[in-house]
Amino acid sequence: MHGRTILGSFILMVGALAVLFGCGGESEDGTGPASDSEAVLDGPPLGGFQDDYEKMVERLDLTAEESASLEAAWQQHLDQLESWWAQHGKALVEHEATMKQAAKDRDLPAVKAAKAKAEPLRKEFRALGDAGEVQVVMSLPPDQRKAWDAEQLMMKLEELMAARIKLSTEQAASAQLLAQKYAADANPDVAVQNRLAQSFLDFERDLEKTVLTPEQRTIYAQVKDENKFRSLRW
């Protein structure tokens, strides 16, 4: 991706994310969000899917035609979000800021009133985002969609193991083959999160049995105990 598709749009969106999710600063008099949040209302927050998109580009072995199709779908997704944000973003940010300030003031009626205004806009924006994300993935041919599922299984494994377990080159290759196997076996008619959740549990079980050493299995058992809902977070 080039220009605003990656970096330009993202810079505009950072401040909006801060306001929407309660991590923005305050004005000097402490009465509301910092004024610099107003400068980013022309860009919608993308959440984690931008990272996923960039990983698709980085980790999938796409042909030139597949890359062009994926980029076009991503740009269409951005255009739809930006169009919605141009119409409704300012109102949503203002409702969220009002709700945040009312919560600080312990003004429950004002919190409820602001939430009632913000919630329909939140749902509409999230639904638009979810639908667009599906379309981006569906722009890939079936074999690349399966490859992307496999990459997500591997990324989840890498996230969980982090610095605690280091796979050898041979183990990593075996894990990649298992990820491809369980991604390919997944039911395409099941919602993506449920599909990945079941695939990951099957992948993980086989990995522990056939790839990890006894010492690594002991460490990974601790990792699982600390991350009981790991298969549900995508």
Side-chain angles (χ1 to χ4, degrees):
M1 293 299 294
H2 310 287
R4 76 182 183 90
T5 311
I6 290 294
L7 184 59
S9 293
F10 184 70
I11 291 172
L12 290 174
M13 296 165 189
V14 172
L17 273 170
V19 175
L20 274 175
F21 299 104
C23 51
E26 291 187 345
S27 59
E28 291 183 5
D29 62 5
T31 58
S35 59
D36 61 353
S37 67
E38 296 301 320
V40 297
L41 292 180
D42 57 347
L46 290 181
F49 190 65
Q50 175 150 345
D51 291 338
D52 284 349
Y53 169 73
E54 291 176 350
K55 287 186 175 76
M56 286 182 207
V57 173
E58 174 189 346
R59 297 179 72 129
L60 294 179
D61 185 17
L62 301 174
T63 67
E65 183 178 354
E66 289 167 349
S67 294
S69 176
L70 179 64
E71 182 167 359
W74 172 252
Q75 188 60 58
Q76 182 179 26
H77 177 48
L78 280 186
D79 290 345
Q80 290 171 340
L81 293 180
E82 289 170 354
S83 176
W84 186 96
W85 196 260
Q87 297 178 63
H88 308 292
K90 187 174 189 295
L92 178 54
V93 169
E94 288 176 349
H95 295 325
E96 295 280 359
T98 298
M99 184 165 54
K100 180 181 176 183
Q101 185 59 46
K104 285 186 176 183
D105 295 340
R106 294 180 169 80
D107 186 346
L108 185 56
V111 170
K112 289 182 176 179
K115 182 178 180 182
K117 294 176 181 179
E119 192 63 26
L121 293 174
R122 283 182 192 163
K123 289 181 178 179
E124 187 177 330
F125 182 71
R126 288 170 181 164
L128 181 65
D130 290 345
E133 290 170 13
V134 169
Q135 290 305 309
V136 170
V137 175
M138 291 302 293
S139 73
L140 296 169
D143 61 324
Q144 293 289 10
R145 292 201 295 271
K146 288 180 180 178
W148 174 236
D149 274 5
E151 287 301 324
Q152 290 183 89
L153 297 182
M154 284 300 295
M155 289 188 292
K156 173 64 71 175
L157 182 68
E158 292 163 6
E159 174 191 329
L160 289 167
M161 288 185 170
R164 297 176 66 174
I165 298 176
K166 182 172 178 57
L167 299 179
S168 68
T169 301
E170 182 179 349
Q171 284 179 309
S174 297
Q176 186 71 52
L177 288 175
L178 285 179
Q180 292 167 3
K181 173 183 184 297
Y182 288 106
D185 287 346
N187 183 348
D189 296 325
V190 175
V192 63
Q193 287 191 328
N194 293 335
R195 184 175 76 243
L196 288 173
Q198 187 57 55
S199 293
F200 184 77
L201 292 176
D202 293 339
F203 163 62
E204 181 182 61
R205 190 177 301 113
D206 203 343
L207 180 91
E208 291 180 272
K209 181 179 179 181
T210 64
V211 176
L212 299 186
T213 66
E215 181 181 359
Q216 288 172 331
R217 284 196 292 272
T218 298
I219 297 171
Y220 195 67
Q222 297 171 350
V223 171
K224 291 195 298 182
D225 191 56
E226 295 165 5
N227 297 274
K228 295 185 185 299
F229 300 104
R230 64 197 174 282
S231 69
L232 303 178
R233 294 174 179 150
W234 297 95

